[in-house]
Every structure is written in structure tokens, then in C-alpha cells.
Amino acid sequence: MARNKYPEITEARILDTATKLFLEKGWEETTVQDIVDELGDITRGQHAGITTGAFYHHFKSKDDIIDAVTTRMFLGNNPFKAVEENKSLNGLQKIQYVLKFSLQRPDTLQFSQVASSVLQSPIYIGKQVLDSINSMAPFFTQYIIEGINDGSIHVKNPKQTAETMILLLNIWLSPLIFPDTKEDYMEKYEHLKLMYEGIGLPVFDDEMQMLVEKLYDGVAAHQ
């Protein structure tokens, strides 16, 4: 069999097709064979069809696919890059920018459409914890240190503050993982607001509350 000269193109095609099918059929109802069959229809007459063996060369399982799809959704429009390009923001404003950007992303709702049951998986949630700590917390630690230096933030432990904030926001406050009633959900938000104000990180404002409430309504409408 001829060697694939452009594996990155094949991988991109697989991800494009998987995303399309997850949104149309749902994660639970989409099989690896569905993805392979769809790819065969797309590539027929243009390129050699992608076989099941070729699929497993790029992705070991369907779990790997959902991980790659959600990662690509996030990195496709990276809020941290946008923050670095805006030199006028202080440390607190950088954190607020990233959080508000994330709350308004249309792909946040796509996550719930793509894999509603996967979001309840302990394995997936555990991976979310590790990914959050490894990829996001360092940025927030940097912004907190900048905020301490510019006077917009007053906390004693930047690294620990960043890590706990990311975990609470991404896991505990996620309506995708904890499907609370709206009243309970907004009480959790108020608790976080008071808690972080108490340690010197007044990151939650009226606009943030509006966006959090809007996110809850959007997720609830798709469940």
C-alpha cells in the first residue's frame, strides 16, 4: 500500500468529518465505521478512500477523536493569543477577557451537542482536570502575578489561586458536567464571586454574570 505523503491532511479530513457527524447524529450514535464511510463518500473520485485501518493509524479510539475535536474547537480561536496582542489590559482585565471570551464561544454549546454523555464520564472529566491545569493555569498564574504588580489583584498565592479558579470554573460551575437547576447554578456563581472577592481577585462583574446565565440557558436548551 502506498505511503500517505500528507498525513496531516488525512487527519484534518477525519476531524472535519467526525465533527460533522457528531453534530448531526450525536457522539453516542456515531461509530468509527460511520466516519470511515462518510470519508469514503467525500473522497471518492478525488483521493483514495480512507480505510478503517487508516483511521486507527491516526486515532486509537473514538475517545481520541472526541478529545481531538474538542481541542481543535478550543484552539481554533485562542483567547490567550488575543490577550497577548492587547497591550492595554492589566492583569485583572486579562483574566476577565479570557473568561468572557470563553463564555461567549459558540463551540461551548457545540460541546454539549457533540458528546452529552461523554461529558459525564469520569475519565473525560479527569482528563479535563489535567488539561486545564497543564494548559490554562500557567496563563492565569502569569496574569495574576501581573495584576499583583499593577495593583489590580491582591492575592497571596498566584499559582494556587489560578489552579483552583480554573478547576472550579471548568468543572464545578460547568452546566455540562453538573446539570443543576438555574437557581442552584446562579447561587454557585454568586458563591464563587464572593469567595474570590474575599481573597483579592474581583474578577466577576455584572457582564460576567449575564454571560454565565446566558450560557446556562443555551446549554439547557440543547439538553
Side-chain angles (χ1 to χ4, degrees), residues 173 180-192 208-214 216-217:
L173 195 64
D180 298 304
T181 65
K182 186 172 182 179
E183 181 181 3
D184 287 341
Y185 180 75
M186 296 311 298
E187 286 181 355
K188 289 168 73 171
Y189 168 81
E190 183 65 21
H191 175 76
L192 287 181
M208 194 88 71
Q209 180 172 337
M210 179 191 69
L211 292 173
V212 165
E213 188 170 359
K214 184 177 180 181
Y216 178 91
D217 291 339

Side-chain angles (χ1 to χ4, degrees), residues 21-193:
L21 290 176
F22 292 160
L23 291 172
E24 289 177 355
K25 301 177 61 175
W27 159 261
E28 298 85 355
E29 300 303 321
T30 301
T31 66
V32 168
Q33 191 60 52
D34 289 334
I35 297 170
V36 172
D37 291 345
E38 181 77 9
L39 282 162
D41 291 340
I42 293 171
T43 58
R44 190 171 289 115
Q46 301 176 16
H47 308 277
I50 295 174
T51 65
T52 304
F55 174 94
Y56 284 113
H57 176 74
H58 293 276
F59 300 99
K60 294 179 181 179
S61 67
K62 204 165 74 166
D63 286 343
D64 280 355
I65 277 284
I66 188 64
D67 181 44
V69 166
T70 54
T71 297
R72 190 171 69 160
M73 283 180 176
F74 179 80
L75 294 180
N77 204 355
N78 193 332
F80 298 111
K81 181 178 179 181
V83 163
E84 294 308 314
E85 292 173 351
N86 190 334
K87 305 301 181 183
S88 67
L89 302 177
N90 63 30
L92 179 64
Q93 289 168 336
K94 287 183 178 182
I95 296 175
Q96 289 174 322
Y97 181 96
V98 171
L99 294 181
K100 291 175 182 179
F101 181 97
S102 299
L103 286 167
Q104 296 179 82
R105 301 174 64 117
D107 48 22
T108 299
L109 293 179
Q110 286 183 326
F111 290 167
S112 63
Q113 293 175 266
V114 167
S116 58
S117 68
V118 173
L119 291 166
Q120 301 296 322
S121 163
I123 295 175
Y124 183 83
I125 293 172
K127 189 177 187 312
Q128 285 288 91
V129 169
L130 292 176
D131 285 350
S132 296
I133 292 297
N134 293 330
S135 64
M136 298 177 67
F139 287 101
F140 280 86
T141 301
Q142 174 189 329
Y143 302 154
I144 290 172
I145 292 172
E146 291 177 14
I148 292 171
N149 292 333
D150 65 38
S152 62
I153 294 173
H154 306 277
V155 300
K156 293 183 178 180
N157 303 296
K159 182 174 183 291
Q160 291 74 20
T161 300
E163 290 179 353
T164 55
M165 183 175 68
I166 293 299
L167 291 176
L168 289 171
L169 288 173
N170 282 0
I171 305 298
W172 187 64
L173 195 64
S174 171
L176 303 175
I177 296 174
F178 290 102
D180 298 304
T181 65
K182 186 172 182 179
E183 181 181 3
D184 287 341
Y185 180 75
M186 296 311 298
E187 286 181 355
K188 289 168 73 171
Y189 168 81
E190 183 65 21
H191 175 76
L192 287 181
K193 178 182 178 181

